[in-house]
Amino acid sequence: MNDFFNKDIISIKDYTRDQLENIFEYTDKMMALDPIKRREICKGKTLSYLFYEPSTRTRLSFESAIASIGGNSLGISDISSSSTQKGESLGDTVKIMSIYSDVLVLRHPLDGSSRFASEISSKPVINAGSGTEEHPTQAIQDLFTIKKEKKKIDGLKIGIVGDLKYGRTVYSLLSGLGNYDVEVHLISPESLRIRSDSIYDIKKKISFTESTDIEEHIDDLDVVYVTRIQKERFPDEEEYLKVKGSYIIGLDLLQKMKDDTIILHPLPRLDEIATDVDKTKNAKYFQQAEYGKYTRAAMLGLILNENGF
Amino acid sequence: MNDFFNKDIISIKDYTRDQLENIFEYTDKMMALDPIKRREICKGKTLSYLFYEPSTRTRLSFESAIASIGGNSLGISDISSSSTQKGESLGDTVKIMSIYSDVLVLRHPLDGSSRFASEISSKPVINAGSGTEEHPTQAIQDLFTIKKEKKKIDGLKIGIVGDLKYGRTVYSLLSGLGNYDVEVHLISPESLRIRSDSIYDIKKKISFTESTDIEEHIDDLDVVYVTRIQKERFPDEEEYLKVKGSYIIGLDLLQKMKDDTIILHPLPRLDEIATDVDKTKNAKYFQQAEYGKYTRAAMLGLILNENGF
Amino acid sequence: MNDFFNKDIISIKDYTRDQLENIFEYTDKMMALDPIKRREICKGKTLSYLFYEPSTRTRLSFESAIASIGGNSLGISDISSSSTQKGESLGDTVKIMSIYSDVLVLRHPLDGSSRFASEISSKPVINAGSGTEEHPTQAIQDLFTIKKEKKKIDGLKIGIVGDLKYGRTVYSLLSGLGNYDVEVHLISPESLRIRSDSIYDIKKKISFTESTDIEEHIDDLDVVYVTRIQKERFPDEEEYLKVKGSYIIGLDLLQKMKDDTIILHPLPRLDEIATDVDKTKNAKYFQQAEYGKYTRAAMLGLILNENGF
């Protein structure tokens, strides 16, 4: 029986390094499979999605993942048009969705929502983003991308750039990186620095630097992970514009990086990365989106098949 | 050829007791089938849904039902974002949807809408709720739940509690119960009493009592069917709050019921049933939702297969 | 290898007469196939849709087409609830959608949007309506309907009635007709005459007349293609009402047509065609919608299968 069979995916913190590596191996296997064989893996299985925050990107990634392995999907992409408008509780909605499907994908603004849902659901629950810190399948996608593109994770110097305070992606990625021997450089405007209490545990495992200056370590990084800086976080627009400009990855900044530095982004992107970077060999953010489809397909395949695939 | 092949489902009043029992037998068969065999029943068939009122619950029940028997679904879950905004008639929309699918599921606020649609459609039409009184697939789901959990329907004492004036579910259930030898106790606030003209025919078939006091018959009921009391039905909030409190099913009220009384609810629930009742053996409303998936799958299997399944 | 394999469908102008006839032959083949065999054609393939303008009709036509040949669909039917709200570019969204699917269907208000998307996408792009003039799959559907119902296109007299200025359908149809030896009569209110610069090239190929009077050629037409006149195009309502009334196809006008004139409409219809015309043998607009499903299925089958089907 595989480790993930019939299990929830709630937090990246629940996984050991061996388990992560196991998912990566299965993702490699998934990618290598003939599409026709792939469609047998979850043939006729149904995934339901329940999104209390809109996230078209994440929903479609799951929908394409389950479709690629032969299953189908149904659900609520926009809770405002659903029964919950009539005041139904999260618990009741989860119970019903778990009756209607074999696995439930939940996106919810509150911390702990997925853990709560998993206790109520009769089917495995996958956290597709909750609260301020958890987005485990994104972290697995990001780690897999790094591993695949750099052939390893240990020993890498990884810069994480942008809004480090509000992006749940960053916290999940850092937790995942805690399983590896990496050097992390956090680069953000002063007002968007990482919440240090949230990375208390991780700090014991990996070495950090914090900086507001993107150029400080740029010539030494193996991976530059860029996140969106949201305008609405700033008290006034002038402040925003000043900050925004200083973190744009363009060809000029790219020239200062090592030849084989890879640039990642969880997407959607606004102008954090100039579009002329897209064509360079360093740009791996669209590749990252494709890997996301396959890591999710692998996780679904493991959750829904006792003996893996 | 089975009785339901290529036929519409418009009103619960169209069915004889034998036909209802036949659907129940097929539902049992559906539930007993291996999921892999189940997916062969409507393999590649397409269900379309056309919802002029939002009802996520009902839509997803049909979507999961058709998925479980190998078909797929497409349609309009929110008419406000569709061509009908441009003023297209119900008739034209129905005609097109019937071209795009093998069976059409319609939800519409007007009485008679499904009958009208069935005359226009080239494919079978299933009424998923229309007007003030019709919701035949919900009634079949409810009757099946009672039969399954109590092993019979004849001879039962059934209490129906809550808003009996506006809930179309109640009227359809009563019409269905008209085929059985049951005793029905209607319990509602004075202002939400059942519309007596609507049950004129049923009154001739089964014995009724009406009451505003939930405790009157509570120790004698086999089934307690609870419905939502909607705030917006009351002229002032004080009146609402008074009424609301007196119909909540909690552990205290449960203690006054027979040991094997079952509690049903069409869902979504607000606070008509306290959540600590959920864990009791009397609570069958989530089971009822699961049966709803299988009764709908059985009906679809019969409509779309000449020789049943 | 078939001509359409792995190719985009951007503009009706890109097709030769032979290619159009080839698609028609494949549509005939598609319609003749047993539904079970049909479902093998694109088994397990995924179509994604990306609609920057709502068009339920077109979206469902594609969804039913891919379902009928065994594939599935996912996407964004209402861009306002998607990541693009966060400001993502069309290019990025297209790139992602092409990762998530085997073929991408795009609806967009701007001219050139599909051409642009096809240059970015790693998968074939189908234009489901763009800008003011392009709607190639609608034109193919319309041409196929004429061919099928009149057994030929050459030699026909075709009237196109209604709003000729703003309907992209009309421009695409005219471009398609440019491949045939037809006589076209354009009938519209003065203020909704066709934009003559847009049909400059077509004018060299087929003979035109323009008129505001629908009765002028009505007794001589083989095909009457009716389009919707949109109220919002008129500066004042009185003007609109005057015009509207004079272009309604009713039984009285039908009497003046030849016995075998066919009436087409891209739908949705408002009251351009009286509903009592629906039952006449001349009414072919619902048949046209059905052909639309099969022409799209044929095109998808050709695009996604190297050797056709």
Side-chain angles (χ1 to χ4, degrees):
Chain A
M1 200 178 81
N2 88 68
D3 246 28
F4 307 93
F5 176 61
N6 219 11
K7 297 273 171 55
D8 309 296
I9 299 182
I10 303 299
S11 169
I12 188 70
K13 294 174 189 163
D14 296 337
Y15 295 95
T16 65
R17 176 169 172 149
D18 279 354
Q19 287 178 315
L20 293 173
E21 294 290 328
N22 199 213
I23 295 172
F24 300 161
E25 279 160 35
Y26 270 104
T27 304
D28 277 329
K29 192 173 171 186
M30 182 61 81
M31 291 175 68
L33 272 177
D34 178 84
I36 290 163
K37 287 212 171 141
R38 210 183 276 146
R39 276 170 223 143
E40 296 298 314
I41 295 173
C42 288
K43 197 178 170 182
K45 296 284 171 74
T46 299
L47 172 154
S48 68
Y49 49 84
L50 182 53
F51 276 51
Y52 284 79
E53 289 177 343
S55 177
T56 309
R57 181 64 41 89
T58 303
R59 173 175 64 81
L60 291 177
S61 183
F62 275 104
E63 285 204 69
S64 70
I66 192 79
S68 74
I69 53 177
N72 48 61
S73 51
L74 53 84
I76 307 175
S77 56
D78 174 17
I79 209 76
S80 67
S81 68
S82 92
S83 291
T84 57
Q85 262 198 309
K86 302 174 190 164
E88 188 179 53
S89 70
L90 174 61
D92 280 16
T93 306
V94 164
K95 240 173 219 156
I96 295 298
M97 296 306 279
S98 70
I99 288 171
Y100 291 165
S101 61
D102 299 297
V103 59
L104 170 58
V105 174
L106 176 68
R107 174 89 160 212
H108 197 281
L110 291 185
D111 287 314
S113 48
S114 281
R115 188 83 64 196
F116 170 75
S118 73
E119 283 158 15
I120 279 174
S121 173
S122 56
K123 305 286 166 54
V125 169
I126 299 178
N127 184 356
S130 69
T132 53
E133 296 176 16
E134 296 287 2
H135 199 344
T137 65
Q138 177 74 45
I140 288 168
Q141 165 183 358
D142 296 344
L143 293 171
F144 179 78
T145 304
I146 295 170
K147 175 88 187 272
K148 197 79 185 158
E149 294 295 328
K150 302 302 295 180
K151 312 295 177 215
K152 61 173 186 177
I153 300 180
D154 285 326
L156 295 181
K157 292 176 182 168
I158 297 168
I160 305 181
V161 180
D163 174 358
L164 306 185
K165 189 169 184 182
Y166 298 106
R168 57 167 76 104
T169 299
V170 171
Y171 294 89
S172 270
L173 175 57
L174 285 172
S175 290
L177 287 172
N179 293 290
Y180 295 88
D181 178 26
V182 292
E183 215 180 288
V184 171
H185 300 281
L186 301 174
I187 300 141
S188 72
E190 188 58 35
S191 60
L192 296 177
R193 284 179 59 185
I194 201 137
R195 281 173 275 113
S196 62
D197 53 326
S198 297
I199 56 161
Y200 182 79
D201 286 341
I202 312 165
K203 269 183 171 164
K204 291 186 269 183
K205 296 186 201 162
I206 45 179
S207 69
F208 278 92
T209 71
E210 283 193 72
S211 165
T212 59
D213 181 7
I214 195 167
E215 307 222 2
E216 207 167 304
H217 298 279
I218 201 78
D219 60 346
D220 202 30
L221 297 173
D222 300 297
V223 177
V224 175
Y225 190 100
V226 187
T227 67
R228 203 152 41 98
I229 294 186
Q230 290 168 285
K231 201 174 172 177
E232 56 270 35
R233 304 300 188 192
F234 289 83
D236 66 87
E237 191 165 345
E238 211 173 316
E239 189 67 20
Y240 164 70
L241 290 172
K242 206 175 64 191
V243 162
K244 193 189 81 158
S246 62
Y247 291 96
I248 291 177
I249 310 292
L251 289 180
D252 50 340
L253 207 56
L254 197 63
Q255 295 248 299
K256 299 176 183 168
M257 300 184 199
K258 295 200 290 184
D259 189 55
D260 61 353
T261 302
I262 61 168
I263 300 172
L264 304 183
H265 193 300
L267 305 181
R269 134 182 86 172
L270 295 193
D271 48 14
E272 308 84 41
I273 304 175
T275 53
D276 48 14
V277 173
D278 295 4
K279 290 151 233 143
T280 69
K281 68 180 192 301
N282 311 82
K284 295 294 179 189
Y285 27 96
F286 292 114
Q287 188 61 55
Q288 186 183 3
E290 185 160 10
Y291 290 145
K293 174 178 162 178
Y294 290 110
T295 48
R296 287 185 177 91
M299 288 183 261
L300 289 167
L302 291 168
I303 289 172
L304 294 170
N305 291 287
E306 189 160 357
N307 299 310
F309 56 87
Chain B
M1 201 178 81
N2 89 67
D3 246 27
F4 307 94
F5 177 62
N6 220 10
K7 297 273 171 56
D8 309 296
I9 298 182
I10 303 299
S11 168
I12 189 71
K13 293 174 188 162
D14 296 337
Y15 296 95
T16 64
R17 176 168 173 149
D18 279 354
Q19 285 178 316
L20 293 173
E21 294 290 328
N22 199 215
I23 294 173
F24 299 161
E25 278 161 35
Y26 269 104
T27 303
D28 277 328
K29 191 173 171 187
M30 182 63 81
M31 291 175 69
L33 272 177
D34 179 84
I36 290 165
K37 287 211 171 143
R38 208 184 277 146
R39 274 169 225 143
E40 296 297 313
I41 295 173
C42 288
K43 199 177 168 182
K45 296 284 171 73
T46 298
L47 172 154
S48 68
Y49 49 83
L50 182 52
F51 275 52
Y52 285 79
E53 289 177 343
S55 177
T56 310
R57 181 63 41 90
T58 302
R59 173 176 63 82
L60 292 176
S61 183
F62 275 104
E63 285 204 70
S64 69
I66 192 77
S68 74
I69 52 177
N72 48 61
S73 51
L74 53 83
I76 308 175
S77 56
D78 175 16
I79 209 75
S80 66
S81 66
S82 91
S83 293
T84 56
Q85 262 197 309
K86 301 174 189 163
E88 188 180 52
S89 70
L90 173 62
D92 279 15
T93 306
V94 163
K95 239 173 219 156
I96 296 299
M97 296 305 280
S98 70
I99 289 170
Y100 290 165
S101 61
D102 300 297
V103 59
L104 170 57
V105 174
L106 176 68
R107 174 88 159 210
H108 197 281
L110 292 186
D111 288 313
S113 48
S114 281
R115 188 83 64 195
F116 170 75
S118 72
E119 284 158 14
I120 280 174
S121 173
S122 57
K123 305 286 167 55
V125 170
I126 299 178
N127 183 356
S130 70
T132 53
E133 296 175 15
E134 295 287 3
H135 199 344
T137 65
Q138 178 73 45
I140 288 168
Q141 165 182 358
D142 296 344
L143 293 171
F144 179 79
T145 305
I146 294 171
K147 175 89 188 270
K148 197 78 184 159
E149 294 295 329
K150 302 302 296 182
K151 312 296 177 214
K152 60 172 186 179
I153 301 181
D154 285 326
L156 294 181
K157 291 175 181 168
I158 297 168
I160 304 181
V161 181
D163 175 358
L164 307 185
K165 189 168 184 180
Y166 298 104
R168 58 166 75 106
T169 299
V170 171
Y171 294 88
S172 270
L173 175 56
L174 285 173
S175 290
L177 287 172
N179 294 290
Y180 295 88
D181 177 27
V182 293
E183 213 180 288
V184 170
H185 300 281
L186 301 174
I187 300 141
S188 72
E190 188 58 36
S191 60
L192 296 177
R193 282 178 61 184
I194 201 139
R195 281 173 276 114
S196 61
D197 53 325
S198 298
I199 56 161
Y200 182 80
D201 287 340
I202 312 166
K203 269 184 171 163
K204 291 187 266 183
K205 296 187 201 161
I206 45 178
S207 68
F208 278 93
T209 71
E210 282 194 73
S211 165
T212 61
D213 181 8
I214 195 169
E215 307 222 2
E216 207 169 303
H217 297 279
I218 200 79
D219 60 345
D220 201 31
L221 296 173
D222 299 297
V223 177
V224 176
Y225 190 100
V226 186
T227 67
R228 204 152 40 97
I229 294 186
Q230 289 168 287
K231 202 175 171 176
E232 55 271 35
R233 303 302 187 189
F234 288 84
D236 65 86
E237 190 166 344
E238 211 174 317
E239 188 68 20
Y240 164 70
L241 290 171
K242 206 175 64 190
V243 162
K244 192 189 83 158
S246 62
Y247 290 95
I248 291 176
I249 310 290
L251 289 180
D252 49 341
L253 206 57
L254 197 63
Q255 294 248 298
K256 297 175 182 168
M257 299 183 198
K258 295 200 290 182
D259 189 55
D260 61 354
T261 302
I262 61 168
I263 299 173
L264 304 183
H265 192 301
L267 304 179
R269 132 181 89 171
L270 296 192
D271 47 14
E272 307 85 41
I273 304 175
T275 53
D276 47 16
V277 172
D278 295 4
K279 290 151 233 144
T280 68
K281 68 180 191 303
N282 311 84
K284 295 295 179 189
Y285 27 96
F286 292 113
Q287 188 61 54
Q288 185 183 2
E290 185 160 9
Y291 290 146
K293 174 178 163 179
Y294 289 111
T295 48
R296 287 185 176 92
M299 289 182 261
L300 289 166
L302 291 168
I303 289 171
L304 295 171
N305 290 287
E306 189 161 357
N307 299 311
F309 55 87
Chain C
M1 201 178 80
N2 88 69
D3 245 27
F4 307 94
F5 177 61
N6 220 10
K7 297 273 172 55
D8 308 296
I9 299 182
I10 303 300
S11 168
I12 189 71
K13 294 174 189 162
D14 297 337
Y15 296 96
T16 64
R17 177 170 171 146
D18 279 354
Q19 286 177 314
L20 293 173
E21 295 289 329
N22 200 214
I23 294 173
F24 300 162
E25 278 160 35
Y26 269 104
T27 304
D28 277 328
K29 192 173 172 187
M30 182 61 81
M31 290 175 70
L33 271 178
D34 178 84
I36 290 164
K37 287 208 170 143
R38 209 184 277 147
R39 275 169 224 142
E40 296 298 314
I41 294 173
C42 287
K43 198 177 169 182
K45 296 285 171 72
T46 298
L47 172 154
S48 68
Y49 49 84
L50 183 51
F51 276 51
Y52 285 78
E53 289 177 342
S55 177
T56 310
R57 180 63 39 91
T58 303
R59 174 176 62 82
L60 292 176
S61 183
F62 274 105
E63 285 204 70
S64 69
I66 192 78
S68 74
I69 53 178
N72 47 62
S73 51
L74 53 85
I76 307 175
S77 55
D78 173 16
I79 209 75
S80 67
S81 67
S82 92
S83 292
T84 57
Q85 261 198 310
K86 301 174 190 163
E88 190 179 52
S89 70
L90 173 62
D92 279 15
T93 306
V94 163
K95 239 172 220 157
I96 296 299
M97 295 307 280
S98 70
I99 289 171
Y100 291 166
S101 61
D102 300 296
V103 59
L104 170 57
V105 174
L106 176 68
R107 173 89 160 212
H108 196 281
L110 291 185
D111 287 315
S113 47
S114 281
R115 188 83 64 194
F116 170 75
S118 73
E119 283 158 15
I120 279 174
S121 173
S122 57
K123 305 288 166 53
V125 170
I126 299 178
N127 183 356
S130 70
T132 52
E133 296 175 17
E134 294 288 3
H135 198 344
T137 64
Q138 177 73 45
I140 288 168
Q141 165 183 358
D142 295 344
L143 293 170
F144 179 80
T145 304
I146 295 170
K147 175 89 188 271
K148 197 79 184 159
E149 295 294 329
K150 304 301 297 179
K151 312 293 177 215
K152 60 172 186 178
I153 300 180
D154 285 328
L156 295 181
K157 291 177 182 166
I158 297 169
I160 305 181
V161 181
D163 174 358
L164 306 185
K165 188 169 185 181
Y166 298 105
R168 57 167 77 104
T169 299
V170 170
Y171 294 88
S172 270
L173 175 57
L174 285 173
S175 290
L177 287 172
N179 294 290
Y180 295 88
D181 177 25
V182 292
E183 212 180 289
V184 170
H185 300 281
L186 302 173
I187 301 141
S188 72
E190 188 58 36
S191 59
L192 296 177
R193 283 178 60 183
I194 200 136
R195 282 174 275 115
S196 61
D197 53 327
S198 297
I199 56 162
Y200 182 80
D201 286 341
I202 312 165
K203 270 184 171 162
K204 291 186 267 183
K205 297 187 202 161
I206 44 179
S207 69
F208 278 93
T209 71
E210 281 195 73
S211 164
T212 60
D213 181 9
I214 194 168
E215 307 222 3
E216 207 168 303
H217 298 279
I218 202 79
D219 60 345
D220 201 31
L221 297 172
D222 299 297
V223 177
V224 176
Y225 190 100
V226 187
T227 67
R228 202 150 42 93
I229 293 186
Q230 289 168 288
K231 201 173 171 178
E232 56 270 34
R233 303 301 187 192
F234 289 84
D236 65 88
E237 191 165 344
E238 213 174 315
E239 187 68 20
Y240 164 69
L241 290 171
K242 206 175 63 191
V243 161
K244 192 188 82 158
S246 62
Y247 291 95
I248 291 177
I249 310 290
L251 290 180
D252 49 341
L253 207 58
L254 197 64
Q255 295 247 299
K256 298 175 183 166
M257 299 183 198
K258 295 200 291 183
D259 188 56
D260 61 352
T261 301
I262 60 169
I263 300 172
L264 303 183
H265 192 300
L267 305 180
R269 133 183 87 172
L270 295 192
D271 47 15
E272 307 84 42
I273 304 175
T275 52
D276 47 15
V277 172
D278 295 3
K279 289 151 233 142
T280 69
K281 68 179 191 305
N282 311 81
K284 295 296 179 189
Y285 27 95
F286 292 113
Q287 188 62 53
Q288 185 184 2
E290 186 160 9
Y291 290 146
K293 174 178 162 178
Y294 289 110
T295 47
R296 289 186 175 91
M299 289 182 260
L300 289 166
L302 291 168
I303 289 172
L304 295 171
N305 290 286
E306 189 160 357
N307 298 311
F309 55 87

